[in-house]
Amino acid sequence: MRVVLAEDAVLLREGLVGLLERFGHTVAAAVGDAPSLIAAVEEHGPDIVVTDVRMPPGFTDEGLRAAFTLRAGRPGLPVLILSQYVQQAYVAELMDAGVGYLLKDRIGHVREFADALDRVAAGGTVVDPEVVRQLLTRRRDPLRRLTPREREVLALIAEGRSNAAIARTLVVTEAAVAKHIASILAKLDLPPAGDDHRRVLAVLAYLRG
Amino acid sequence: MHHPRNALQALAGRPLRFLWSAWPWRSLAYLLSGAVFGAAAALAISIALTAGVVAAVALAAVAVVPCGLVAGRFERWRLRLVDRAPAADPHERPGAPGPRAWLRTRLREQATWREAGYTLLSVLALWWVDLGAIAIGGAVPGVLLSAPFQPDTPLSLGLPLALAGAVIMPTAAYPITAWAGARATMARALLGSPDPELAEVVRSRARLVDAFEIERRRIERDLHDGAQQRLVTLALKLGMARLDLEPGSPAAERVAEAHEEAMQALAELRELIRGVHPRILTDLGLPEAVLDVAGRSPVPAEVDIVLPRRLPTATEVTAYFVVSEALANVAKHSRAARCLIRGRLTRETLVMEISDDGGGGADPASGTELAGLADRVAVLSGTMSLSSPAGGPTILRVEIPCA
């Protein structure tokens, strides 16, 4: 895949370039601020954009706003957003097909990171486990109805994992996962959704309350 | 209290020292001068009244401001009788020379109207009370002292009574001094400018807290831009090295260990930075930052904070750490099932309440961290109160003025 990367910390930017290349991607451009990010996407037309939320000049949410601008001009452009901290307000407006939201620390888990990148590029939704954990803490009451195993499955759904990936993580069969999911959706009064992506959004919307 | 600064302090000192001092006499003089002034003003008004009600009211309405200015000055001067600390003139200096600028400044400032109000109060009520305090305080000893001069009292009875009167005469000093002190406190509060010395102390403490906060933010920035970025990069490189090594080889194991260590260090550094000065607070303000802490709380925490705007940095940081520490205490001690964090800006004061449905019985003295935070709250002229009856619920309330 051709990637445009935006990250203002030079050291980390270089590390990320190395990581992306290690997994066989091409870094079309690696920039350090939001205007350069927009220009680089215009110039290179990448398959996916990886951007830090907080960048010069304002050091607030320039990267995020640039990503929205880019997606408005190129609907469906996959974007993986890296953040220093969990920002619940963003999770609400952010989550959509082909959008990922990961904490920066997650970069250290290189395989997880590369996996998330692939899922976002394929039009999936990826949510950092920490975000999901916080959401689960907030909506604790109705979740009491779930068994501990079902809660684990719910967390993995919310992170944007497919049935196959959930089965791999929990070391169970896909059929067992499907059964858990049906039970969870029934207990939470959520409509059964065939497609993974719509299911993620429904679960996230539910958790946000 | 060797050198009382005012009548009320003297009153609280040792009785003999107080009675021997000049304070009772000064108080008496203070009240008498007040009564004389009030009586003179009342007399002036009654004379005006004989000229007609309308004329009197009109005269009073016009005269109240200039009279107030003069009376205010006189009252501040008179205060020295019962208060060693001089009362500062609260009036502003006119912006330009000339009587018109002077008049404009005087009419605009609050001090002028306070003086007018105080003067009105003196004339209508206070001087009566001054006389009353003297009369009531001196009534019993006065009657006893006058016994020998009563025509139908024999001297054999009159002299002992007079003696008794002389003995209890000093008790009159207490009500007289007490009222004089109270009246002076009121006069100072209404007519003086706010104590400049105290205001300066509060300001300098607030500056210190601000300086402290700026320093913490600098440390946070350095850690974040330096150590944290390097650690993320290190973890990333170790993670990549793991991919390149043959699984199960000794080298792969050691690199895996190093990678885990790096991730652990990263998590600890993140925690450390959060304790110094959380970035989310700087960037997004109190409600988002509290949501973030609440999201990490082991006891489910509901957040209900509505603020119209960003608050001063010191206020935000203090409130944040109070919530953070309170949640830690809830998790450690309360056995609560859930807790609620509420925050509002009410009359320019940030009011935060952290309540839980746990067993109560929290001891404010046991939480040294909380006591430290109470100090920080106090420096911002705020208050912190804890209510935790046995059986619960526990409510921690913090108020910090933000004006």
Side-chain angles (χ1 to χ4, degrees):
Chain A
M1 281 189 290
R2 288 161 45 76
V3 185
V4 165
L5 169 69
E7 161 63 58
D8 61 308
V10 180
L11 214 64
L12 188 56
R13 186 164 71 218
E14 282 168 8
L16 277 168
V17 170
L19 173 68
L20 290 165
E21 284 171 350
R22 169 68 180 69
F23 281 91
H25 305 301
T26 310
V27 178
V31 299
D33 61 70
S36 317
L37 168 62
I38 290 177
V41 171
E42 293 304 324
E43 189 186 337
H44 299 285
D47 301 313
I48 186 167
V49 170
V50 177
T51 180
D52 187 7
V53 169
R54 193 172 177 279
M55 278 195 294
F59 291 102
T60 54
D61 57 357
E62 283 77 5
L64 190 79
R65 275 188 274 124
F68 278 134
T69 310
L70 288 170
R71 273 174 69 88
R74 301 161 178 255
L77 174 71
V79 176
L80 180 57
I81 292 152
L82 302 176
S83 179
Q84 197 59 237
Y85 39 73
V86 175
Q87 206 167 333
Q88 295 291 359
Y90 284 169
V91 179
E93 44 190 295
L94 208 67
M95 294 339 287
D96 196 1
V99 177
Y101 182 70
L102 286 184
L103 285 184
K104 273 193 177 175
D105 289 8
R106 211 66 60 193
I107 299 168
H109 296 293
V110 286
R111 231 182 240 294
E112 258 183 66
F113 178 77
D115 182 44
L117 193 76
D118 289 341
R119 280 187 283 147
V120 171
T125 306
V126 168
V127 180
D128 193 275
E130 175 65 22
V131 178
V132 172
R133 211 183 53 70
Q134 291 199 9
L135 286 172
L136 288 177
T137 328
R138 271 214 270 168
R139 297 288 312 260
R140 192 163 281 194
D141 277 346
L143 299 180
R144 286 230 175 96
R145 277 177 266 160
L146 306 184
T147 65
R149 187 53 133 189
E150 285 169 350
R151 272 202 289 273
E152 271 180 274
V153 174
L154 181 70
L156 289 168
I157 297 174
E159 286 170 28
R161 313 278 177 151
S162 65
N163 287 16
I166 295 173
R168 260 203 316 279
T169 312
L170 300 178
V171 205
V172 293
T173 62
E174 272 192 58
V177 171
K179 229 178 82 190
H180 283 310
I181 292 175
S183 163
I184 293 168
L185 296 181
K187 283 184 183 174
L188 300 183
D189 284 329
L190 291 171
D195 135 32
D196 279 0
H197 165 63
R198 241 181 307 180
R199 194 177 66 192
V200 179
L201 295 188
V203 167
L204 284 176
Y206 174 81
L207 289 177
R208 278 202 309 272
Chain B
M1 222 173 289
H2 291 288
H3 294 288
R5 285 205 308 153
N6 58 44
L8 288 180
Q9 282 182 6
L11 191 69
R14 283 220 233 89
L16 282 180
R17 184 191 290 272
F18 164 64
L19 292 172
W20 193 249
S21 71
W23 289 106
W25 299 107
R26 284 168 160 267
S27 299
L28 185 64
Y30 181 68
L31 294 188
L32 280 175
S33 59
V36 167
F37 168 73
L43 186 69
I45 291 174
S46 4
I47 291 172
L49 273 175
T50 58
V53 175
V54 178
V57 169
L59 185 68
V62 173
V64 73
V65 167
C67 284
L69 286 172
V70 176
R73 189 172 280 259
F74 174 63
E75 283 289 340
R76 278 193 294 279
W77 173 76
R78 219 159 64 78
L79 259 184
R80 291 185 206 182
L81 280 169
V82 286
D83 194 339
R84 283 193 205 282
D89 190 329
H91 289 291
E92 282 171 35
R93 215 178 248 279
R100 284 189 59 186
W102 179 85
L103 190 64
R104 215 175 22 246
T105 310
R106 287 292 168 266
L107 286 179
R108 253 210 321 260
E109 65 186 352
Q110 207 190 24
T112 308
W113 299 99
R114 280 169 176 269
E115 284 175 341
Y118 185 84
T119 307
L120 217 57
L121 189 68
S122 298
V123 172
L124 293 178
L126 292 179
W127 74 276
W128 288 103
V129 186
D130 291 345
L131 276 184
I134 297 170
I136 294 167
V140 175
V143 168
L144 291 175
L145 273 176
S146 69
F149 308 103
Q150 301 297 331
D152 45 357
T153 310
L155 214 58
S156 58
L157 182 61
L159 275 180
L161 282 178
L163 198 65
V167 170
I168 64 168
M169 193 66 202
T171 57
Y174 280 90
I176 289 171
T177 312
W179 168 242
R183 196 190 197 293
T185 306
M186 178 165 65
R188 175 180 279 282
L190 288 171
L191 304 177
S193 65
D195 196 331
E197 211 174 302
L198 191 64
E200 184 45 44
V201 169
V202 170
R203 260 200 300 277
S204 87
R205 284 204 299 182
R207 268 201 302 273
L208 202 63
V209 169
D210 274 345
F212 208 61
E213 219 36 73
I214 288 167
E215 187 62 9
R216 290 172 77 110
R217 272 170 86 161
R218 193 188 59 74
I219 294 170
E220 181 270 333
R221 243 193 333 267
D222 287 354
L223 284 176
H224 175 263
D225 295 342
Q228 201 182 17
Q229 304 293 348
R230 276 183 194 277
L231 261 179
V232 173
T233 312
L234 174 68
L236 187 154
K237 291 197 166 155
L238 283 170
M240 276 162 59
R242 275 176 89 170
L243 296 177
D244 293 334
L245 288 166
E246 196 179 317
S249 67
E253 264 170 45
R254 267 194 289 281
V255 170
E257 275 170 25
H259 183 231
E260 294 304 323
E261 284 289 327
M263 291 305 284
Q264 192 58 37
L266 198 55
E268 278 173 23
L269 182 65
R270 176 181 278 277
E271 214 38 56
L272 174 70
I273 290 179
R274 195 141 42 208
V276 172
H277 188 109
R279 173 60 62 99
I280 188 168
L281 184 64
T282 317
D283 291 356
L284 304 172
L286 193 57
E288 275 286 338
V290 169
L291 262 183
D292 181 59
V293 196
R296 280 180 280 108
S297 160
V299 175
E302 198 183 317
V303 178
D304 171 23
I305 300 181
V306 181
L307 301 174
R309 55 182 159 84
R310 287 292 298 263
L311 304 177
T313 307
T315 308
E316 281 189 343
V317 174
T318 306
Y320 172 87
F321 282 118
V322 168
V323 170
S324 173
E325 187 54 33
L327 285 179
N329 283 344
V330 168
K332 262 187 274 177
H333 309 298
S334 75
R335 302 183 307 281
R338 56 190 314 109
C339 71
L340 171 68
I341 304 155
R342 224 184 104 84
R344 290 287 184 282
L345 192 64
T346 313
R347 274 174 267 118
E348 290 306 295
T349 297
L350 173 67
V351 182
M352 299 280 297
E353 256 183 25
I354 302 103
S355 50
D356 69 59
D357 60 356
D363 178 8
S366 72
T368 47
E369 287 280 330
L370 216 52
L373 285 170
D375 290 345
R376 278 178 80 156
V377 172
V379 169
L380 300 174
S381 309
T383 56
M384 182 152 136
S385 53
L386 179 70
S387 150
S388 184
T394 300
I395 300 172
L396 178 72
R397 187 184 164 95
V398 175
E399 297 186 24
I400 305 173
C402 305

